Amino acid sequence: MATIVVHVMPKPEILDPQGKAVGNALPRLGFDGFEAVRQGKRFELTVDGEVTEELLGKAREAAETMLSNPVIEDVVAVEVVA
Amino acid sequence: MARIGVVTFPGTLDDRDAARAVRLAGAESVNLFHADSSLQDVDAVVLPGGFSYGDYLRAGAISRFSPIMERVVDAANGGMPVLGICNGFQVLTEVHLLPGSMIKNDHLHFVCRDQVLRVENNDTAWTNAYEAGAEITIPLKNQDGQYVADEHTLDELEAEGRVAFRYVGVNPNGSRRDIAGVTNARGNVVGLMPHPEHAVEAGFGPDSREAGRGGTDGLGFFTSALNALLASA
């Protein structure tokens, strides 16, 4: 078993209301020193057996066309985790 | 009689109201289901509001891949009038029939209010019954209603007159340039966040100058579609 992990983040120029709310809450709980927070998504695609180049290619395509919306989000990484 | 289809996805909320609006405008409403692969010879389609597939992944993102949407995209590209309301608008952006996208409201709260809009483009299949620049009041209710697109796309929309509706008085969700709804270049596909289908019958709409709950400003969307169908017949 192996896992392909896809990381998706809101585009830098898009305001991230959720991240902003989290960022505002941190100091209230005593977590000082953090300038800003941005919140993204992590997808884990589990594979039965080896991660082939073909499967990785499919995962990249899925990441760009379905798991993210290119209007508001960037795929920042597609990586294999054993 | 014109036949207007209303699509129900799992999690759709406003299909009944949309169908009722279609009937009050004088058309026959046809129930379409997300798993259908036929549009049943309808003349126009409404994608109603709600939380299809629980807004999982992104609002409208999963609905985009349902069998009925393949037919809707084909029909829209062929010129059929298609209206997306709220979640339906989100589906239309996800399926790339309309530009831009919706993210969470800038203030993070769900908003529900009677909203004033200006009709910026009255030359579409869903707005031709209104005067240009008309101000209408219809309900707005959403959590992910902040319309966003890159500056280039926004400039293009403005230049081509494709901003169909703008929020007046207050921008309820932080939408870029107060945009409440947009149209495609051809004018047959329109999407907006507020809900015209909730303002079609006196006694059940927003408060109006004449009477409490008397507002029927949303009915024009549906009579517009009938006008468009007659004109193209």
Side-chain angles (χ1 to χ4, degrees):
Chain A
M1 296 274 272
T3 301
I4 302 172
V5 180
V6 177
H7 300 268
V8 174
M9 290 297 291
K11 279 185 186 296
E13 66 270 27
I14 298 275
L15 176 78
D16 170 21
Q18 292 182 105
K20 209 174 147 202
V22 174
N24 289 341
L26 282 173
R28 270 185 262 143
L29 296 173
F31 299 111
D32 294 316
F34 301 106
E35 196 59 31
V37 177
R38 294 183 71 75
Q39 181 179 325
K41 293 174 187 166
R42 170 191 168 109
F43 299 89
E44 299 184 350
L45 312 181
T46 307
V47 174
D48 186 14
E50 287 288 292
V51 175
T52 59
E53 266 310 306
E54 192 199 349
L55 272 176
L56 199 54
K58 278 187 195 166
R60 286 200 186 98
E61 197 187 336
E64 295 290 345
T65 57
M66 183 185 179
L67 301 180
S68 71
N69 177 343
V71 176
I72 50 173
E73 296 167 321
D74 289 325
V75 177
V76 292
V78 179
E79 56 184 3
V80 181
V81 176
Chain B
M1 187 186 272
R3 289 160 53 82
I4 300 184
V6 177
V7 179
T8 301
F9 298 100
T12 294
L13 298 176
D14 299 320
D15 41 349
R16 298 292 182 97
D17 275 30
R20 190 165 145 275
V22 163
R23 290 192 297 272
L24 285 168
E28 180 188 347
S29 71
V30 178
N31 299 330
L32 299 173
F33 198 50
H34 69 103
D36 290 350
S37 49
S38 159
L39 287 180
Q40 298 183 36
D41 293 322
V42 296
D43 304 300
V45 170
V46 177
L47 304 180
F51 293 86
S52 61
Y53 294 93
D55 273 357
Y56 292 169
L57 189 58
R58 297 174 302 277
I62 310 277
S63 304
R64 170 197 166 185
F65 296 98
S66 61
I68 196 80
M69 282 310 296
E70 273 183 47
R71 298 284 99 78
V72 172
V73 170
D74 286 348
N77 288 331
M80 181 186 280
V82 175
L83 175 68
I85 303 167
C86 194
N87 192 222
F89 183 20
Q90 293 158 340
V91 175
L92 289 178
T93 61
E94 282 285 339
V95 80
H96 308 310
L97 281 173
L98 292 174
S101 185
M102 257 67 62
I103 63 171
K104 213 158 279 303
N105 296 342
D106 57 350
H107 47 74
L108 291 169
H109 298 289
F110 186 89
V111 58
C112 180
R113 65 194 307 273
D114 292 343
Q115 177 70 45
V116 182
L117 308 178
R118 187 167 51 247
V119 180
E120 299 279 10
N121 179 341
N122 71 336
D123 193 23
T124 79
W126 299 94
T127 59
N128 59 62
Y130 297 100
E131 299 288 326
E135 293 194 357
I136 61 174
T137 303
I138 60 177
L140 170 84
K141 44 171 194 165
N142 64 64
Q143 170 109 33
D144 288 13
Q146 181 182 173
Y147 183 77
V148 296
D150 61 55
E151 287 298 311
H152 174 74
T153 304
L154 292 170
D155 289 341
E156 210 171 75
L157 287 172
E158 304 266 13
E160 294 173 4
R162 290 173 56 195
V163 174
F165 305 95
R166 237 185 275 267
Y167 296 115
V168 175
V170 58
N171 181 335
N173 45 32
S175 290
R176 297 295 174 279
R177 304 191 191 184
D178 300 333
I179 292 173
V182 297
T183 175
N184 67 347
R186 194 167 173 174
N188 63 310
V189 180
V190 171
L192 80 166
M193 283 314 290
H195 289 262
E197 82 283 17
H198 295 329
V200 294
E201 188 175 12
F204 301 93
D207 291 340
S208 69
R209 236 165 289 155
E210 292 73 31
R213 301 281 138 210
T216 57
D217 287 352
L219 193 60
F221 282 73
F222 305 93
T223 52
S224 291
L226 295 185
N227 294 340
L229 292 171
L230 276 177
S232 67

Short mmCIF file of all heavy atoms in Angstrom, two decimals, chain B residues 5-44:
data_model
loop_
_atom_site.label_atom_id
_atom_site.label_comp_id
_atom_site.label_asym_id
_atom_site.label_seq_id
_atom_site.Cartn_x
_atom_site.Cartn_y
_atom_site.Cartn_z
N GLY B 5 -37.10 22.65 -17.29
CA GLY B 5 -36.65 21.61 -16.37
C GLY B 5 -36.01 22.21 -15.13
O GLY B 5 -35.34 23.24 -15.20
N VAL B 6 -36.23 21.58 -13.99
CA VAL B 6 -35.59 21.98 -12.73
C VAL B 6 -34.84 20.76 -12.21
O VAL B 6 -35.43 19.71 -11.97
CB VAL B 6 -36.63 22.45 -11.70
CG1 VAL B 6 -35.95 22.80 -10.38
CG2 VAL B 6 -37.40 23.66 -12.23
N VAL B 7 -33.52 20.89 -12.05
CA VAL B 7 -32.69 19.75 -11.68
C VAL B 7 -32.61 19.60 -10.16
O VAL B 7 -32.38 20.56 -9.44
CB VAL B 7 -31.26 19.90 -12.24
CG1 VAL B 7 -30.40 18.71 -11.84
CG2 VAL B 7 -31.29 20.04 -13.76
N THR B 8 -32.80 18.37 -9.69
CA THR B 8 -32.62 18.04 -8.28
C THR B 8 -31.36 17.20 -8.12
O THR B 8 -31.25 16.12 -8.69
CB THR B 8 -33.83 17.25 -7.74
OG1 THR B 8 -35.01 18.04 -7.91
CG2 THR B 8 -33.65 16.92 -6.27
N PHE B 9 -30.41 17.74 -7.36
CA PHE B 9 -29.22 16.99 -6.97
C PHE B 9 -29.44 16.50 -5.53
O PHE B 9 -30.29 17.06 -4.82
CB PHE B 9 -27.97 17.88 -6.99
CG PHE B 9 -27.62 18.46 -8.33
CD1 PHE B 9 -27.97 19.77 -8.64
CD2 PHE B 9 -26.94 17.72 -9.27
CE1 PHE B 9 -27.64 20.32 -9.88
CE2 PHE B 9 -26.61 18.26 -10.50
CZ PHE B 9 -26.97 19.56 -10.81
N PRO B 10 -28.68 15.51 -5.06
CA PRO B 10 -28.77 15.18 -3.63
C PRO B 10 -28.34 16.41 -2.82
O PRO B 10 -27.22 16.88 -2.99
CB PRO B 10 -27.76 14.04 -3.46
CG PRO B 10 -27.48 13.53 -4.84
CD PRO B 10 -27.70 14.68 -5.77
N GLY B 11 -29.23 16.92 -1.99
CA GLY B 11 -28.88 18.10 -1.19
C GLY B 11 -29.43 19.40 -1.74
O GLY B 11 -29.26 20.45 -1.14
N THR B 12 -30.11 19.34 -2.90
CA THR B 12 -30.78 20.53 -3.43
C THR B 12 -31.94 20.89 -2.51
O THR B 12 -32.65 20.00 -2.03
CB THR B 12 -31.31 20.25 -4.85
OG1 THR B 12 -30.19 20.06 -5.72
CG2 THR B 12 -32.14 21.42 -5.37
N LEU B 13 -32.14 22.20 -2.25
CA LEU B 13 -33.21 22.61 -1.35
C LEU B 13 -34.36 23.33 -2.05
O LEU B 13 -35.51 23.24 -1.64
CB LEU B 13 -32.65 23.58 -0.30
CG LEU B 13 -31.57 23.05 0.63
CD1 LEU B 13 -31.07 24.16 1.53
CD2 LEU B 13 -32.12 21.90 1.45
N ASP B 14 -34.05 24.08 -3.10
CA ASP B 14 -35.03 25.03 -3.63
C ASP B 14 -35.67 24.59 -4.94
O ASP B 14 -36.20 25.41 -5.68
CB ASP B 14 -34.35 26.39 -3.81
CG ASP B 14 -33.84 26.93 -2.48
OD1 ASP B 14 -34.55 26.77 -1.47
OD2 ASP B 14 -32.74 27.50 -2.45
N ASP B 15 -35.63 23.28 -5.22
CA ASP B 15 -36.19 22.79 -6.48
C ASP B 15 -37.70 22.98 -6.55
O ASP B 15 -38.25 23.34 -7.60
CB ASP B 15 -35.81 21.32 -6.73
CG ASP B 15 -35.88 20.45 -5.48
OD1 ASP B 15 -36.02 21.00 -4.37
OD2 ASP B 15 -35.79 19.22 -5.62
N ARG B 16 -38.39 22.78 -5.40
CA ARG B 16 -39.85 22.94 -5.40
C ARG B 16 -40.23 24.39 -5.68
O ARG B 16 -41.16 24.67 -6.44
CB ARG B 16 -40.45 22.50 -4.07
CG ARG B 16 -40.23 21.05 -3.72
CD ARG B 16 -41.00 20.15 -4.66
NE ARG B 16 -40.84 18.74 -4.30
CZ ARG B 16 -41.70 18.05 -3.59
NH1 ARG B 16 -42.79 18.62 -3.13
NH2 ARG B 16 -41.47 16.78 -3.33
N ASP B 17 -39.52 25.33 -5.02
CA ASP B 17 -39.82 26.74 -5.23
C ASP B 17 -39.52 27.15 -6.67
O ASP B 17 -40.25 27.93 -7.27
CB ASP B 17 -39.00 27.61 -4.26
CG ASP B 17 -39.68 27.75 -2.90
OD1 ASP B 17 -40.40 26.81 -2.53
OD2 ASP B 17 -39.50 28.79 -2.25
N ALA B 18 -38.42 26.63 -7.21
CA ALA B 18 -38.06 26.96 -8.59
C ALA B 18 -39.13 26.44 -9.55
O ALA B 18 -39.54 27.13 -10.49
CB ALA B 18 -36.69 26.38 -8.94
N ALA B 19 -39.61 25.22 -9.31
CA ALA B 19 -40.65 24.63 -10.17
C ALA B 19 -41.94 25.45 -10.07
O ALA B 19 -42.64 25.67 -11.07
CB ALA B 19 -40.90 23.18 -9.77
N ARG B 20 -42.22 25.92 -8.87
CA ARG B 20 -43.42 26.73 -8.66
C ARG B 20 -43.30 28.06 -9.40
O ARG B 20 -44.25 28.54 -10.01
CB ARG B 20 -43.59 26.95 -7.15
CG ARG B 20 -44.88 27.56 -6.72
CD ARG B 20 -45.06 27.38 -5.21
NE ARG B 20 -45.73 28.52 -4.65
CZ ARG B 20 -45.10 29.63 -4.29
NH1 ARG B 20 -43.80 29.72 -4.42
NH2 ARG B 20 -45.79 30.63 -3.80
N ALA B 21 -42.11 28.64 -9.36
CA ALA B 21 -41.87 29.90 -10.08
C ALA B 21 -42.07 29.72 -11.58
O ALA B 21 -42.67 30.57 -12.25
CB ALA B 21 -40.46 30.42 -9.78
N VAL B 22 -41.60 28.59 -12.07
CA VAL B 22 -41.76 28.27 -13.50
C VAL B 22 -43.25 28.22 -13.86
O VAL B 22 -43.69 28.80 -14.87
CB VAL B 22 -41.06 26.92 -13.82
CG1 VAL B 22 -41.54 26.36 -15.15
CG2 VAL B 22 -39.55 27.08 -13.81
N ARG B 23 -44.02 27.57 -13.01
CA ARG B 23 -45.46 27.43 -13.28
C ARG B 23 -46.18 28.77 -13.17
O ARG B 23 -47.05 29.09 -13.98
CB ARG B 23 -46.08 26.40 -12.33
CG ARG B 23 -45.64 24.98 -12.61
CD ARG B 23 -46.50 23.96 -11.85
NE ARG B 23 -46.38 24.10 -10.41
CZ ARG B 23 -45.44 23.49 -9.68
NH1 ARG B 23 -44.54 22.71 -10.26
NH2 ARG B 23 -45.40 23.65 -8.38
N LEU B 24 -45.80 29.58 -12.16
CA LEU B 24 -46.45 30.89 -12.00
C LEU B 24 -46.15 31.80 -13.19
O LEU B 24 -46.93 32.70 -13.50
CB LEU B 24 -45.98 31.56 -10.69
CG LEU B 24 -46.60 30.97 -9.42
CD1 LEU B 24 -45.86 31.47 -8.18
CD2 LEU B 24 -48.09 31.31 -9.33
N ALA B 25 -45.00 31.57 -13.82
CA ALA B 25 -44.65 32.38 -15.00
C ALA B 25 -45.42 31.93 -16.24
O ALA B 25 -45.43 32.62 -17.25
CB ALA B 25 -43.15 32.30 -15.25
N GLY B 26 -46.05 30.74 -16.14
CA GLY B 26 -46.87 30.28 -17.26
C GLY B 26 -46.25 29.16 -18.08
O GLY B 26 -46.70 28.87 -19.18
N ALA B 27 -45.21 28.52 -17.53
CA ALA B 27 -44.60 27.40 -18.25
C ALA B 27 -44.90 26.10 -17.51
O ALA B 27 -45.38 26.12 -16.37
CB ALA B 27 -43.09 27.60 -18.36
N GLU B 28 -44.60 24.99 -18.16
CA GLU B 28 -44.73 23.70 -17.51
C GLU B 28 -43.40 23.37 -16.86
O GLU B 28 -42.35 23.51 -17.48
CB GLU B 28 -45.08 22.63 -18.56
CG GLU B 28 -45.24 21.22 -18.00
CD GLU B 28 -45.40 20.17 -19.10
OE1 GLU B 28 -45.63 20.55 -20.27
OE2 GLU B 28 -45.27 18.98 -18.77
N SER B 29 -43.41 22.95 -15.58
CA SER B 29 -42.15 22.58 -14.93
C SER B 29 -41.95 21.08 -15.07
O SER B 29 -42.88 20.30 -14.95
CB SER B 29 -42.16 22.99 -13.46
OG SER B 29 -43.05 22.17 -12.73
N VAL B 30 -40.71 20.70 -15.34
CA VAL B 30 -40.35 19.30 -15.53
C VAL B 30 -39.27 18.95 -14.51
O VAL B 30 -38.22 19.61 -14.47
CB VAL B 30 -39.83 19.05 -16.96
CG1 VAL B 30 -39.41 17.59 -17.14
CG2 VAL B 30 -40.88 19.45 -18.00
N ASN B 31 -39.53 17.94 -13.68
CA ASN B 31 -38.53 17.55 -12.68
C ASN B 31 -37.43 16.74 -13.34
O ASN B 31 -37.70 15.70 -13.95
CB ASN B 31 -39.18 16.71 -11.57
CG ASN B 31 -40.25 17.47 -10.83
OD1 ASN B 31 -40.17 18.71 -10.71
ND2 ASN B 31 -41.24 16.76 -10.35
N LEU B 32 -36.20 17.19 -13.21
CA LEU B 32 -35.05 16.45 -13.72
C LEU B 32 -34.21 16.01 -12.53
O LEU B 32 -34.10 16.73 -11.55
CB LEU B 32 -34.21 17.32 -14.66
CG LEU B 32 -34.92 17.84 -15.91
CD1 LEU B 32 -34.01 18.82 -16.66
CD2 LEU B 32 -35.31 16.68 -16.83
N PHE B 33 -33.61 14.82 -12.65
CA PHE B 33 -32.86 14.24 -11.54
C PHE B 33 -31.38 14.16 -11.92
O PHE B 33 -31.05 13.96 -13.08
CB PHE B 33 -33.43 12.85 -11.26
CG PHE B 33 -33.07 12.30 -9.92
CD1 PHE B 33 -33.25 13.04 -8.76
CD2 PHE B 33 -32.54 11.02 -9.81
CE1 PHE B 33 -32.91 12.53 -7.52
CE2 PHE B 33 -32.20 10.50 -8.58
CZ PHE B 33 -32.39 11.25 -7.43
N HIS B 34 -30.51 14.32 -10.92
CA HIS B 34 -29.07 14.37 -11.21
C HIS B 34 -28.58 13.15 -11.97
O HIS B 34 -27.66 13.23 -12.78
CB HIS B 34 -28.28 14.51 -9.90
CG HIS B 34 -28.33 13.28 -9.03
ND1 HIS B 34 -27.29 12.40 -8.94
CD2 HIS B 34 -29.32 12.76 -8.26
CE1 HIS B 34 -27.62 11.41 -8.13
NE2 HIS B 34 -28.85 11.61 -7.70
N ALA B 35 -29.22 11.99 -11.74
CA ALA B 35 -28.75 10.75 -12.38
C ALA B 35 -29.36 10.53 -13.76
O ALA B 35 -28.98 9.60 -14.46
CB ALA B 35 -29.06 9.56 -11.47
N ASP B 36 -30.29 11.41 -14.16
CA ASP B 36 -30.91 11.27 -15.49
C ASP B 36 -29.86 11.53 -16.57
O ASP B 36 -28.97 12.36 -16.40
CB ASP B 36 -32.04 12.30 -15.68
CG ASP B 36 -33.26 12.00 -14.81
OD1 ASP B 36 -33.29 10.91 -14.22
OD2 ASP B 36 -34.15 12.87 -14.74
N SER B 37 -30.04 10.84 -17.70
CA SER B 37 -29.16 11.16 -18.82
C SER B 37 -29.97 11.73 -19.98
O SER B 37 -29.52 11.78 -21.11
CB SER B 37 -28.37 9.93 -19.26
OG SER B 37 -29.24 8.85 -19.43
N SER B 38 -31.20 12.18 -19.67
CA SER B 38 -32.03 12.83 -20.69
C SER B 38 -32.63 14.10 -20.12
O SER B 38 -33.01 14.17 -18.95
CB SER B 38 -33.16 11.89 -21.11
OG SER B 38 -34.21 12.64 -21.69
N LEU B 39 -32.70 15.13 -20.97
CA LEU B 39 -33.32 16.39 -20.54
C LEU B 39 -34.83 16.40 -20.82
O LEU B 39 -35.50 17.41 -20.61
CB LEU B 39 -32.67 17.57 -21.27
CG LEU B 39 -31.25 17.96 -20.84
CD1 LEU B 39 -30.76 19.15 -21.65
CD2 LEU B 39 -31.18 18.27 -19.36
N GLN B 40 -35.35 15.27 -21.29
CA GLN B 40 -36.80 15.12 -21.52
C GLN B 40 -37.39 16.24 -22.38
O GLN B 40 -38.49 16.73 -22.10
CB GLN B 40 -37.54 15.05 -20.18
CG GLN B 40 -37.11 13.86 -19.34
CD GLN B 40 -37.90 13.76 -18.05
OE1 GLN B 40 -39.10 14.06 -18.03
NE2 GLN B 40 -37.27 13.34 -16.98
N ASP B 41 -36.64 16.64 -23.38
CA ASP B 41 -37.14 17.63 -24.35
C ASP B 41 -37.55 18.96 -23.73
O ASP B 41 -38.45 19.64 -24.23
CB ASP B 41 -38.32 17.07 -25.15
CG ASP B 41 -37.89 15.94 -26.06
OD1 ASP B 41 -36.78 16.04 -26.61
OD2 ASP B 41 -38.64 14.96 -26.19
N VAL B 42 -36.91 19.35 -22.63
CA VAL B 42 -37.23 20.66 -22.06
C VAL B 42 -36.65 21.76 -22.95
O VAL B 42 -35.74 21.54 -23.74
CB VAL B 42 -36.70 20.82 -20.61
CG1 VAL B 42 -37.38 19.85 -19.67
CG2 VAL B 42 -35.19 20.68 -20.56
N ASP B 43 -37.21 22.97 -22.79
CA ASP B 43 -36.77 24.12 -23.59
C ASP B 43 -35.77 24.98 -22.84
O ASP B 43 -35.09 25.82 -23.44
CB ASP B 43 -37.99 24.99 -23.96
CG ASP B 43 -39.05 24.18 -24.68
OD1 ASP B 43 -38.74 23.63 -25.74
OD2 ASP B 43 -40.18 24.08 -24.15
N ALA B 44 -35.70 24.81 -21.53
CA ALA B 44 -34.78 25.59 -20.70
C ALA B 44 -34.56 24.81 -19.41
O ALA B 44 -35.33 23.90 -19.09
CB ALA B 44 -35.36 26.97 -20.38
#
